[in-house]
Amino acid sequence: MKLKHVLIVLMSVVILVGLSGCGGNASSTNSGAGTASSAAPANGGEDVAKFKGETINVLSWEGYQEDEWVKPFEQKYGVTVKVTYAGSVDEMFAKAASGSVKYDLIFMDGGSVNRYYKMNLIQPIDLAKLPNTNQLIANMKSLNDKHVVKDGKTYAVPFAWGSLPMMVNTDKIKEPIDSWNALWDPKYSGKIVTLDDAANQTAMTAMLLGFKDPYNLTDEQLDQVKSKLLEQKPLVRTYYAGFEDGKNLMASDEGWIGFSMGPTMITDLQKEGKNVVEVIPKEGALVWIDNAVIGKDAKDPELVHVYIDYLISSEVQAQLIKKTSYGGVNADSANKLTDEEKKVSHMDDPNYFNNLVYVAFPESFEKRVKLWNEVKAAQ
């Protein structure tokens, strides 16, 4: 999924909540993430019989439709959840846009919602039919809404999220690190590892340069980003392309500091005995939020609403967090986690979102890919 998010950015796309820009938080639970109210019962018993025999066609990322939570739903309602997986943002969009299959439910990063909206591929969601939205992490939802609410209507509901922070080996680097500038510091030359990813590299560098909106850059600002990345290039050990590649570079001490693909990479290294820590730089870090949306031609939108509400329930969200270590969207799910699980998924920290920047739809994927290719090709 991390790879997916790299692709997100690579292509069209877009991947996961400054959560800061996201404002407040609601009433609290010991999760640290605000909830708006107490849990509402997921799905009334009156719905159970009327959906029997129906099928929900789902277009999803791997890891989001696991038997642990899909089977109980199918058994309760007597329905079938038929899942098609996509490997990249562009593949997902192509499947949804082709019309060969009418997908009832589609998962995508929030930055992609606008793309589907403009193509008239999705329909509004009635939040009144989703009582579990009252338990969504308040500042996360607030940030997400800026990208998925169109003309006053909500087109997507968050399902999972993850940040892209810096990773630092504290056995090798003793001084405090608080800025992306560390990835440009000559004293770490040859020990810097960073993503081979056009969109994420452009956005992170734009944040470092102080540009207000890293996803809406002028040509002049893109030129400045390119110059900054060219300045960094001689110091870089390598641009890594996958989750395991990045982890291995840090595990072997080939890399001491780097642009990570997510906190899971760091916690995996810690489990291997490496003293690698996560740093959210003062300039901020990127965060992707994946959303559930309802297809324009969904056969039974009411059933899809019931399924989405189930997927964002604290019970399912806790299972998702345990299985993937992604961030969950239901604040009450933290009450079903161990202290360690809460820490790893950042479900214990209400302020974690406050310095994160939403991975949004950029001004031009083509320009960012061209920029990045020129950086990599430079001698």
Side-chain angles (χ1 to χ4, degrees):
M1 209 9 220
K2 299 308 178 190
L3 175 58
K4 174 209 84 178
H5 284 291
V6 172
L7 292 173
I8 279 180
V9 187
L10 270 178
M11 332 212 66
S12 64
V13 163
V14 169
I15 244 93
L16 309 236
V17 169
L19 301 188
S20 93
C22 26
N25 60 45
S27 56
S28 63
T29 67
N30 59 11
S31 71
T35 78
S37 75
S38 59
N43 316 324
E46 68 279 7
D47 293 332
V48 171
K50 66 181 182 181
F51 300 123
K52 188 174 182 180
E54 292 196 34
T55 295
I56 307 174
N57 279 309
V58 181
L59 182 56
S60 179
W61 303 119
E62 290 188 14
Y64 285 6
Q65 307 298 316
E66 299 297 290
D67 284 351
E68 292 97 312
W69 51 87
V70 172
K71 292 299 182 187
F73 183 85
E74 290 180 318
Q75 291 166 3
K76 177 176 180 180
Y77 290 94
V79 302
T80 299
V81 177
K82 184 178 180 181
V83 184
T84 300
Y85 290 110
S88 71
V89 170
D90 273 0
E91 180 186 352
M92 179 165 284
F93 182 77
K95 287 178 181 295
S98 74
S100 58
V101 176
K102 304 295 185 185
Y103 292 105
D104 304 298
L105 174 62
I106 308 169
F107 287 81
M108 67 187 70
D109 62 284
S112 288
V113 171
N114 194 48
R115 187 183 189 189
Y116 287 70
Y117 170 75
K118 288 182 175 179
M119 293 289 291
N120 196 31
L121 296 174
I122 57 180
Q123 62 176 281
I125 295 176
D126 185 352
L127 297 183
K129 296 179 178 177
L130 305 176
N132 283 321
T133 55
N134 289 330
Q135 299 170 16
L136 295 178
I137 298 171
N139 52 2
M140 179 276 301
K141 181 179 183 301
S142 175
L143 181 65
N144 193 61
D145 281 353
K146 295 175 183 176
H147 300 266
V148 305
V149 176
K150 310 291 181 186
D151 297 326
K153 297 177 181 177
T154 298
Y155 281 83
V157 174
F159 175 72
W161 60 269
S163 63
L164 300 176
M166 190 187 298
M167 52 186 172
V168 179
N169 185 327
T170 55
D171 284 338
K172 303 296 184 182
I173 299 176
K174 304 295 185 182
E175 64 183 332
I177 299 294
D178 67 353
S179 169
W180 289 111
N181 264 322
L183 299 185
W184 274 260
D185 193 327
K187 64 173 162 289
Y188 304 134
S189 180
K191 296 297 181 181
I192 296 168
V193 296
T194 188
L195 293 171
D196 184 1
D197 182 300
N200 286 336
Q201 286 285 7
T202 303
M204 179 272 283
T205 307
M207 287 193 293
L208 173 60
L209 291 171
F211 298 148
K212 184 177 180 181
D213 183 353
Y215 287 94
N216 187 19
L217 302 178
T218 64
D219 287 347
E220 181 181 352
Q221 289 173 325
L222 287 169
D223 286 342
Q224 292 180 55
V225 166
K226 178 182 172 182
S227 296
K228 190 68 176 174
L229 287 168
L230 287 171
E231 174 188 326
Q232 180 198 41
K233 186 175 181 181
L235 309 176
V236 173
R237 171 75 178 185
T238 188
Y239 300 118
Y240 70 90
F243 187 86
E244 291 301 323
D245 287 345
K247 233 173 61 174
N248 291 338
L249 287 163
M250 294 296 286
S252 64
D253 290 339
E254 290 183 71
W256 292 359
I257 186 169
F259 186 7
S260 83
M261 293 181 71
T264 304
M265 176 181 283
I266 296 164
T267 53
D268 282 358
L269 287 164
Q270 291 170 347
K271 290 174 184 175
E272 294 175 15
K274 303 299 293 186
N275 289 320
V276 176
V277 299
E278 172 184 337
V279 173
I280 301 294
K282 61 186 178 185
E283 298 89 0
L286 302 172
V287 62
W288 53 265
I289 302 179
D290 276 351
N291 281 252
V293 304
I294 301 179
K296 177 68 176 178
D297 299 314
K299 185 177 179 182
D300 188 343
E302 184 178 355
L303 173 58
V304 183
H305 276 83
V306 173
Y307 187 45
I308 292 175
D309 196 52
Y310 171 74
L311 291 176
I312 63 172
S313 68
S314 59
E315 292 79 10
V316 172
Q317 286 287 305
Q319 292 181 78
L320 174 77
I321 294 166
K322 288 172 182 285
K323 186 144 192 169
T324 66
S325 293
Y326 294 157
V329 299
N330 187 311
D332 280 357
S333 64
N335 296 320
K336 297 176 171 58
L337 305 174
T338 66
D339 288 345
E340 180 61 23
E341 289 167 340
K342 281 188 280 191
K343 182 179 178 183
V344 168
S345 60
H346 293 293
M347 295 297 288
D348 63 338
D349 183 1
N351 298 314
Y352 185 71
F353 296 115
N354 291 342
N355 203 25
L356 300 181
V357 176
Y358 198 91
V359 174
F361 201 83
E363 72 299 310
S364 169
F365 282 109
E366 293 75 16
K367 289 181 180 179
R368 292 184 178 220
V369 171
K370 179 174 181 291
L371 179 160
W372 183 238
N373 286 338
E374 289 172 350
V375 169
K376 290 195 295 180
Q379 299 299 315

